Amino acid sequence: MRDLVYTGFMSLDGVVDSPGGGPGEEHRSGGWVFKDLEFVPEAWSLKGEELADTTALMFGRRSYEAFAPVWPGSTDHADYKDLPKYVVSSTLSEDALVDGWGPTTILRSTEDIAELKKGDGGAVFIHGSAELARRLAEAGLIDQYNLLVFPVLLGAGKSLFDRADRDKRMLTLRESQSYSNGILKLVYDVKR
């Protein structure tokens, strides 16, 4: 059984929208991850730690379309280049996939993702893709959250968590760390 892990940067009020800024990220506070905070290298250690556990990446269509033109040539993301990738989309065509960025498979449904999880191969990490993460959480498919929580309140933007009235879901804190610039590392397992 493979674990499905959501990893992301999040504001204290749950916004994951436009953390890096740039094209396609028109949120008025776009780039909030890199603004107004002292750079503390150890606050980013989670990203290196994750790499040891990452056996594949998963994206929603919009995140794939944002990352695919940039990540294959990025030295910051070189270790991800040859990993298998899964893109969840009912509309993306095979000819829209980027060459030279490892094997990429399009998954068309939540059922396809549930089948992927039943297989062997280690953890699959979801980067970006807040809407996908919400849908997979609602279907009970997310196993772990790896979050860097930033000391900022954005008020607007895509939230990682759904605001719908539903049964509560319990999480177990696996690991936490606070850093001098106010960033918190929170790693939660989803209780089943």
Side-chain angles (χ1 to χ4, degrees), residues 21-178:
E25 296 189 348
E26 281 72 32
H27 188 281
R28 72 180 179 160
S29 297
W32 53 269
V33 162
F34 303 108
K35 294 179 181 174
D36 304 320
L37 280 180
E38 174 191 356
F39 178 73
V40 177
E42 57 271 18
W44 302 95
S45 63
L46 176 63
K47 292 299 158 191
E49 295 162 8
E50 286 177 342
L51 190 55
D53 295 329
T54 303
T55 62
L57 301 175
M58 182 176 287
F59 305 99
R61 180 190 51 81
R62 282 187 290 251
S63 291
Y64 177 79
E65 289 174 341
F67 296 153
V70 179
W71 280 24
S74 166
T75 56
D76 290 340
H77 301 95
D79 292 328
Y80 294 130
K81 186 172 183 175
D82 295 324
L83 289 175
K85 301 185 186 59
Y86 298 95
V87 183
V88 181
S89 174
S90 61
T91 59
L92 189 70
S93 64
E94 292 285 336
D95 63 340
L97 298 177
V98 172
D99 290 330
W101 197 30
T104 304
T105 304
I106 299 174
L107 302 175
R108 299 292 182 191
S109 67
T110 303
E111 292 77 21
D112 290 344
I113 299 164
E115 283 303 311
L116 173 69
K117 283 184 49 111
K118 290 178 185 176
D120 295 326
V124 179
F125 280 68
I126 302 169
H127 289 259
S129 310
E131 292 173 32
L132 173 63
R134 279 195 306 273
R135 192 170 72 224
L136 297 179
E138 290 167 14
L141 295 174
I142 300 284
D143 299 293
Q144 183 178 316
Y145 292 96
N146 290 4
L147 303 172
L148 289 179
V149 180
F150 286 70
V152 60
L153 301 172
L154 296 173
K158 291 179 188 172
S159 176
L160 175 58
F161 303 108
D162 189 346
R163 302 283 185 235
D165 184 11
R166 66 180 73 254
D167 291 339
K168 71 179 175 185
R169 293 177 220 132
M170 298 300 295
L171 307 173
T172 301
L173 183 63
R174 176 188 290 202
E175 184 180 349
S176 67
Q177 179 77 42
S178 62

